[in-house]
Amino acid sequence: MKRLMSGLGVGFLLVLLYFLLWPVEVEPVAWSPAPDRGYTGAFARNDRLSSVQRVQVPDLTGPEDLAADPQGTLYTTSHEGWIARRSPGQKVFERWIDTGGRPLGIDWDGAADRLVVADAHRGLLAVDREGRLTVLADEVEGTPILYADDAVCLPSGEIYFTDASTKFGAEAFGGTYAASLLDIMEHGGHGRLLRWSPDTQAVTTAVDGLQFANGVALGPEGRSILLAETGSYRILRYFFAGPDKGETKVVIDNLPGFPDNLNRGGEGRYWVGIVSGRRAIVDAIGPYPFLRKMVTRVPTSFRPEATRYGHVVAFSVEGEVLLDLQDHEEAFVRTTGAFEHGGELWITSLHEPDLGRLSVDLPPVTTTTSTPG
């Protein structure tokens, strides 16, 4: 009996030492998130997304984002590294280009007539109509781009794109999802907004110190970039021209979940996908770096994960929530964004095997706006 108790004691001590001292990748930084108001007010629970129809992307998963060219061809990305497309009149998507990495956010570059791709493994890419792939940038100012996440093309030919984390690269840390969890758990401000110049072919940093820099969209007047800061539950606006040049302002703060892709719609609308609702345990341990470090020592299957929920939001550039669509029936979950095309709303996802499509009345921006949060 004494040997048994002694063995149990040694075992307990080893487990305790493991949770206290075992080296891990993260060095958490203390932060105090605003109290989670949950699904209330403009974000009150509803089932408006539950009637989404599925559109096949055969043998591919995780259609992260959508883009369309002037002829109406739709493009989407996948976990398997393929960009798929669907021409007008087609019913399903077909494989087009294998980037050899993990393509995430995409946008059509009207100035150069090509598709621009933020590839989490390879950097900023471009694909012309003949399918020729070019690496536009894989480093900035001597540092590698480890997690290119989303891109937006300006009429001038400039491209703004995000590097979600300069520490937790998607390829080195087990994929886009695993790396994002580590970056958000650390909250170390490793994200940045980057600018690619068509004149110099060089990349410069526009904004750094971001908490997992994610989706981007062009502002309505063509002098600002809207930016999803996933790790801080908010959407920012960076001004690259005009009287506010160089400033970054908050558009919507204290969202009920983690914002992902941003897309510009019609009549002044912007869309954001809420890839997951907030987790109470993640908020609760925010001020305690030591506890967060201990959490990362827990086996992966026991750590906090993204919730299985569908949620996309239309908002104005002033922060007014115009339309909130949720799916509490889990018909289409872990939504990364929404994209207006052909009079319908298309829904993208982190893990679903298909794209979603929904017919919905799209509200224009009103003249009187108010900012939630």
Side-chain angles (χ1 to χ4, degrees), residues 287-362:
Y288 309 106
F290 185 72
L291 287 179
R292 280 154 53 209
K293 203 165 188 176
M294 289 182 66
V295 168
T296 60
R297 296 186 177 106
V298 173
T300 305
S301 58
F302 292 99
R303 298 178 196 172
E305 291 191 348
T307 59
R308 288 185 54 80
Y309 199 68
H311 193 183
V312 297
V313 179
F315 64 97
S316 74
V317 74
E318 288 83 14
E320 178 190 18
V321 174
L322 305 171
L323 188 63
D324 183 86
L325 307 174
Q326 300 178 36
D327 172 26
H328 57 76
E329 296 179 6
E330 297 189 7
F332 201 89
V333 300
R334 292 180 180 171
T335 42
T336 55
F339 184 77
E340 296 179 22
H341 180 74
E344 295 179 305
L345 190 65
W346 291 72
I347 313 297
T348 55
S349 168
L350 185 66
H351 292 144
E352 293 283 356
D354 307 311
L355 287 161
R357 186 172 61 187
L358 188 68
S359 295
V360 62
D361 292 330
L362 300 175

Side-chain angles (χ1 to χ4, degrees), residues 30 56 98 131 159 202 255-256 277 299 305 315 323 338 349 371:
Q56 288 186 329
D98 183 355
I159 301 169
L255 286 162
E305 291 191 348
F315 64 97
L323 188 63
S349 168
T371 304

Side-chain angles (χ1 to χ4, degrees), residues 222-246:
R223 59 185 179 89
S224 65
I225 299 294
L226 271 65
L227 165 68
E229 191 180 18
T230 304
S232 293
Y233 312 125
R234 64 183 183 176
I235 297 169
L236 306 175
R237 187 181 185 187
Y238 165 72
F239 291 86
F240 59 83
D244 299 320
K245 183 177 179 179

Side-chain angles (χ1 to χ4, degrees), residues 60 72 92 150 154 185 194 228 243 255 262 311 323 345 347 358 366:
L60 298 175
V92 297
D150 197 13
L154 278 59
M185 182 63 72
L194 305 174
L255 286 162
L262 291 175
H311 193 183
L323 188 63
L345 190 65
I347 313 297
L358 188 68
T366 57

